[in-house]
Each structure stands twice: as C-alpha cells, then as structure tokens.
C-alpha cells in the first residue's frame, strides 16, 4: 500500500494497518526481579533527526527512503512537542478551532453531502509537518521474534515507514498506536521514519481547551513477543449482592499458539499470599471463572475503594510443549461495584460522593509530555487535598496514570478523546448546523473507534468507575451509538456524558447520570426537587480562574439535602502555563495563552487551576482541602 495525503481530508480514514487496541498489560520473557528492565522492550526515546515543514507542500519528498540524504535535518527529542522545541508557533485556544479568522473550513459531509474535500488539510498552508527519522538495531532479545512498535501518543496524524516501506497511518492523539514491524525488519541497522501532520479531520474532534501542540509527545518503544503470546486480558471481578463474596471472570486471547502448550495461572491476595494455582491447556480464546467454591478467600474479599484500595494480583505464564516458558504477565485488580439503585449511585453499596477535579496532563516546561515523576507529584497534591476523583479531561491519559490511581484509590472518569466544541457553539451561541460527529455515517466509525480504544486499553482498572463519551460535542445519534457501545461491552461501569444538557432530546438515551457544567446550586435544587430520573453530578464546577472558588459551601451543603446529589469535578487541577525566560527581568516566568502572539486566543483562560503550572498551591486549594475533608 502507498501512503496518501488525502487521508488527512477524510474522516472515514483514521487508521491503516494498526494493531487492534488491546489491554495495557506488559509481557516479559520471564518473571523479572525488582527494577529489572523488560528484555522484550527496546526504547526508541532520545534524539531523532528532524525537519520542520511549514506545510505539506514543503515536506521533503521521499525523506523516508533509506538512502535519502538527511544531513541538512536538525534534531529533536522524542518525546517532545514540536512547538516547545522552537520549531512552530505556540498556540492556546479554547472553544474555537485554531484556524478561525484565518481560513474558512467546514467538517466534511456536514455542509453538503459531497465527498471529502481533498484540499481541506492535505494541501493547506497552515498544516505544518514534522519529519522524523531514526536508526536502530534490534537488541539481541528482540531478534527472531514478532516485533511491533508502540507510539504512546502522537498528535495529530502520523504516517510510518520502515526501511523505506510504508507501514501504517494513525490518528487519535491520546491512545496508543501500534504497528507490526516484523515484515519490514532487516538484519543490522533499520531506518524508521515518521511524518506527523498537525491537522487532519481529527482536528474537528480534538478541539479541547488546551495548547494546540503536535508531534511525538509520548514514549516510543519496540516490543517483541514469541509463540503463545497473550494479546488481550480482561479481568472482571464482581461482588455479590451483599458486597462480601467475590467472583472473578478472566478472558484471555492468545496469538501464535503452539501444540500442547500450557497456561499457568496464579492468584494472590492483597498481602501477596498465593491463594490459587492451576495449569490449563492453551487455546486462542480462554474464558475462566473463579468463585468462593474454588477459592475460599473469595468468600470475604477485601474490597477496593478510595480509603482502602485493596488490590489482588493475577500471574500468568505460558509454556511450550517442552515446558519452556514463553511469556510472563502480572496484573493487579480490585473487587468493587459501581451501580445505581433508587436513582442514587452506590460504590460497594454505599452512596458515592465525588470530591473531584478535572486534570489536564501538564508540566510548565514539557507541556503534555509529562513523566512518571510528574504524575506522582500530581497525585501527591491530589491526595493531600482530599480529592477522591479525577476526570481525565478530555482525553485518555498516559497508561501509568491509571495504575497509579488503582494503587492510590482515586476514582476515575475515563474520558474518550473527543471534543468538537467549535462545530456547534459559535461566539457563545448554540448553533449546531455543522456539528460533528452528529448523525452522519461518515463520522460514526472514527468516534466509535475512539470509544473502543479507550475501553480496550483501560478496561482492567478498578479505579475507572465511569466511561465518559467525551466533552462538549453536542448530542446526536453518533454519540448515542458510543453510549450503546460502552453499555454493550461493560456492564460493570457507568457511562457519562454532559452534552444532553444542550440537546435534551437524548436525555433518556445517553448517559447513566445527569451531568451539568457550572449549574448554580439553585438550578441543581430545581432539578432534584422535580422528579429527577438520574443521579446528579457536576462534571465541571467552581471554575477556578484568578482569585476564585468562593461559594463552595453552597454546593457542598447539597450533599446533606439530597441523596441524588453526588458531587462533581472542579475545573481544574493545574494551570496550563509555560515557563519561559524573560529577558527584561532575567527570570523564569509563567506565560499563558495569548502571551506567544497566538491568535485567535482565549488568553489567560488557560489558567484555571487550583495549583499553578509548577504545582505551587493557590489559596483556593485551602478551600478545596477543607470542604472535601468535611464531606468525605
């Protein structure tokens, strides 16, 4: 197959040759010792050759060829935003699309029933391209195995070549993109090339309130596997109706299964004591179940919640017919039940109080290219402030974040990478004449794919209580289809969406909860006192811009008055501001939207956090800490 730039213009094309989404487990050649690196993984992070092209027309032809002379290329770090490497304009914008006022664009298939416009992005003067190249030689432990490449996050549309051959294409900036490199590998040195385009039809779906970066901003690594490989793991721990005994259903999907191979399964309790072990004949699909009749300790399981995030562990080993170990996997899981009874959300049978915050991934020097240490620092602030819930606004976060929240007992609203704010709200007015994804068939597959990738990647995390369909994307048939998808796939979690508030026609068919943004306390009272059909949450409230967050008590007191009031998520956790050197004061200073000659811009609207961009507490955090402690 040959790569085509017209894919940038067509919402029906969003993945080519990608490996289907699967669970986020890691696999090893054998059980690792503490802090031992995974011998089946090879990091490609580091310095890559790089050329910045201001438009597709300026992109060097065939730069991906093995013999292409890239001596004139410069360099860039991977991972890193291209803008923060000083190659492109830094730009912050909230609701509008970033080209508004400069270029006239409408989403394909909305203004008319015509086919995709082949001039929309593929031939646009405002669509910069990052051309990346690197060389690698497979580590010994990866040789003679199936090898894939894992891009944890690339914004926004990427083309991939290996040794001059086209491998694949991907959109969806915030979920992993994986490709099988095995057919394209050669002995010795391999040449990898990536072209990243800032704009594609995905831009209509990724109109989040943030700085508009592009590039390879999360880790890149090679991953190998041999025979009897576990491709997907789905753990479904459940509690009985008395929230005491537990059952565990396990679904396993294997690849390259060989004759007479075996699976060894072990289970460990929260103290690390082995409570079960058995061998099973290996098959491509295995479905196993365990209850108190098989495992005595499941008669009284240790439940997972915010205050006691108890985690059990499963260990899986696959063996060949010669009893040689092929693969080792370990994964922590927790028993908990999230449900609605009598129109009240319950966690393990008790009323759920969401003392939450919205969180963008952010660092004042690295933007959204954050590290594990950054995540741990954020989590420490969150725990200290008595926050028990986080909404991953408005996209899937890096994989380690979900494991950290499992361990810390943080309830997650796991948001799908979808926001199309600029397609239906113009200058504050609701005007959905060309909203996406709307009800158009041409936009359905790409948003369902985003929902599926979110679900398949993170489905094993006990911290996730809600799947969220995205943010501020109006409400129409395609959003409903996303809702239906999550309900069909996962009966053990709730589904959230707020967009029904602007299109009440879908109130009954989208979202298990009544979700609002910035409703006043009186508006909440009015809803709850007039035969409410759903429990009520505020997916955004207490907009913390400037010296704000006053009046929090008025919201908190609703917990005492109404069982169906279940709290919400403050907007937001951390300022989006960049630390830059100011030549006038000879100091490092924080700069917000509009400070980079970026237009259009929503200026200091990027600063809504209860902490500054560097994690320093704002006075507002004292209010959060006090009331969240009082009502926990």
């Amino acid at each position: 197959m040959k790569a085509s730039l017209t894919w940038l213009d067509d919402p029906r094309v969003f993945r080519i040759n990608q490996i289907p989404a699967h669970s986020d487990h890691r696999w090893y050649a054998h059980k690792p010792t503490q802090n031992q690196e995974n011998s089946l993984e090879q990091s490609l992070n580091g310095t890559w050759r790089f050329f910045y092209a201001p438009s597709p027309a300026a992109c060097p032809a065939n730069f991906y060829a093995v013999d292409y002379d890239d001596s004139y290329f410069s360099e860039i770090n991977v991972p890193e935003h291209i803008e923060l490497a000083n190659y492109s304009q830094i730009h912050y914008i909230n609701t509008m699309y970033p080209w508004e006022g400069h270029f006239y664009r409408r989403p394909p298939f909305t203004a008319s029933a015509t086919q995709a416009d082949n001039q929309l992005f593929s031939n646009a003067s405002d669509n910069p391209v990052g051309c990346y190249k690197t060389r690698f030689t497979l580590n010994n432990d990866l040789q003679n195995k199936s090898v894939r490449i894992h891009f944890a996050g690339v914004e926004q549309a990427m083309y991939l070549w290996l040794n001059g051959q086209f491998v694949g294409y991907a959109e969806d900036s915030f979920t992993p993109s994986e490709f099988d490199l095995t057919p394209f590998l050669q002995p010795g040195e391999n040449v990898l090339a990536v072209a990243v385009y800032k704009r594609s039809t995905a831009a209509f779906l990724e109109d989040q309130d943030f700085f508009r970066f592009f590039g390879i901003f999360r880790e890149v690594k090679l991953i190998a596997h041999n025979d009897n490989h576990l491709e997907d793991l789905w753990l479904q721990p459940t509690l009985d109706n008395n929230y005491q005994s537990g059952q565990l259903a396990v679904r396993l999907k294997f690849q390259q299964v060989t004759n007479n191979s075996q699976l060894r399964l072990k289970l460990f309790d929260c103290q690390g004591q082995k409570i079960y072990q058995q061998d099973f004949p290996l098959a491509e699909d295995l479905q196993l179940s365990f209850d108190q009749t098989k495992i005595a300790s499941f008669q009284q399981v240790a439940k997972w919640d915010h205050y006691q995030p108890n985690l059990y562990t499963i260990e899986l080993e696959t063996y060949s017919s010669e009893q040689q170990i092929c693969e080792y996997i370990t994964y922590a899981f927790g028993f908990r039940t999230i449900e609605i009874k009598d129109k009240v959300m319950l966690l393990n049978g008790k009323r759920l109080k969401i003392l939450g915050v919205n969180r963008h991934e952010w660092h004042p020097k690295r933007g959204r290219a954050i590290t594990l240490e950054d995540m741990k620092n954020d989590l420490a602030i969150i725990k200290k402030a008595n926050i028990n819930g986080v909404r991953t606004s408005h996209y899937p976060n890096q994989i380690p974040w979900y494991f950290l929240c499992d361990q810390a007992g943080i309830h997650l609203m796991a948001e799908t990478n979808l926001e199309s704010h600029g397609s239906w709200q113009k200058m504050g007015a609701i005007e959905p004449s060309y909203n996406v994804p709307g009800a158009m068939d041409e936009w359905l597959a790409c948003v369902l794919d985003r929902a599926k990738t979110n679900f398949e990647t993170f489905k094993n995390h006990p911290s996730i209580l809600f799947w969220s369909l995205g943010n501020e994307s109006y409400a129409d048939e395609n959003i409903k289809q996303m809702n239906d998808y999550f309900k069909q796939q996962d009966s053990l979690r709730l589904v959230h969406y707020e967009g029904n508030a602007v299109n009440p026609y879908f109130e009954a068919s989208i979202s298990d909860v009544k979700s609002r943004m910035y409703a006043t306390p009186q508006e909440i009272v009015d809803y709850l006192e007039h035969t409410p059909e759903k429990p009520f949450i505020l997916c955004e409230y207490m907009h913390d811009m400037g010296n704000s967050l006053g009046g929090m008590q008025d919201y908190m007191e609703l917990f005492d008055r109404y069982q169906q009031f279940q709290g919400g998520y403050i907007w937001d956790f951390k300022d989006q501001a960049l630390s830059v050197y100011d030549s006038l004061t000879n100091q490092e200073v924080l700069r917000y939207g509009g400070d980079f000659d970026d237009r259009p811009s929503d200026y200091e609207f990027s600063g809504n956090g209860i902490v500054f961009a560097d994690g320093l507490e704002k006075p507002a955090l004292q209010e959060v800490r006090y009331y969240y402690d009082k009502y926990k």
Side-chain angles (χ1 to χ4, degrees), residues 335-369:
F335 289 91
R336 56 107 187 95
T337 298
I338 177 72
E339 61 189 335
I340 296 175
K341 285 187 175 180
D342 298 322
K343 302 177 184 179
V344 175
M345 283 189 293
L346 306 177
L347 180 63
N348 300 336
K350 298 179 181 179
R351 178 189 176 203
L352 176 65
K353 293 181 180 180
I354 299 171
L355 308 173
V357 70
N358 286 273
R359 173 182 174 270
H360 273 294
E361 297 179 307
W362 193 257
H363 185 275
K365 283 292 188 182
R366 295 186 294 274
R368 290 188 290 275

Side-chain angles (χ1 to χ4, degrees), residues 530-547:
H530 291 86
T531 320
E533 290 300 317
K534 300 177 181 179
F536 186 97
I537 66 170
L538 290 151
C539 64
E540 294 180 21
Y541 79 121
M542 299 304 300
H543 194 275
D544 192 42
M545 187 172 181
N547 187 24

Side-chain angles (χ1 to χ4, degrees), residues 237-240 242-248 267-271 275 290-292 295-305 308 310-312 333-337 348:
T238 55
L239 296 171
D240 66 12
N242 295 321
Y243 312 104
Q244 299 296 326
S245 63
Q247 300 183 38
L248 174 65
L267 294 172
F268 298 84
D269 66 16
C270 305
Q271 288 72 46
I275 56 176
F290 309 92
D291 58 20
Q292 60 267 35
I295 303 172
S297 62
F298 278 10
Q299 294 178 8
Q300 192 80 22
V301 297
K303 295 183 284 290
W304 184 97
D305 64 19
Q308 291 185 305
N310 295 303
L311 293 172
Y312 291 72
F333 63 95
F335 289 91
R336 56 107 187 95
T337 298
N348 300 336

Side-chain angles (χ1 to χ4, degrees), residues 211 362-365 574-579 590-592 606 613:
F211 280 85
W362 193 257
H363 185 275
K365 283 292 188 182
K574 182 182 283 187
D575 280 1
Q576 293 183 74
L578 292 166
S579 178
L590 291 172
R591 297 294 192 214
Y592 293 75
S606 69

Side-chain angles (χ1 to χ4, degrees), residues 8 83 88-91 98 121 126-130 155-157 196-200 203 212-215:
L8 300 172
E83 290 84 354
S88 188
Q89 171 70 48
I90 295 172
H91 189 187
F121 295 112
D126 67 328
N127 191 9
V129 190
E155 194 172 12
Q156 178 179 81
V196 181
Y197 290 76
K198 186 165 187 173
R199 308 200 199 287
S200 69
R212 307 306 172 97
F213 296 132
F214 82 117

Side-chain angles (χ1 to χ4, degrees), residues 168-213:
Y169 173 79
E171 296 175 7
D172 193 352
S173 303
F174 296 95
T175 50
S177 297
E178 293 184 341
F179 301 90
D180 183 11
L181 297 185
T182 312
F184 309 100
L185 288 165
Q186 62 187 25
E189 187 177 75
N190 291 268
V191 179
L192 186 75
V194 183
V196 181
Y197 290 76
K198 186 165 187 173
R199 308 200 199 287
S200 69
T201 50
F204 290 109
L205 304 176
E206 297 184 8
D207 191 36
Q208 287 94 333
D209 173 11
F210 59 15
F211 280 85
R212 307 306 172 97
F213 296 132

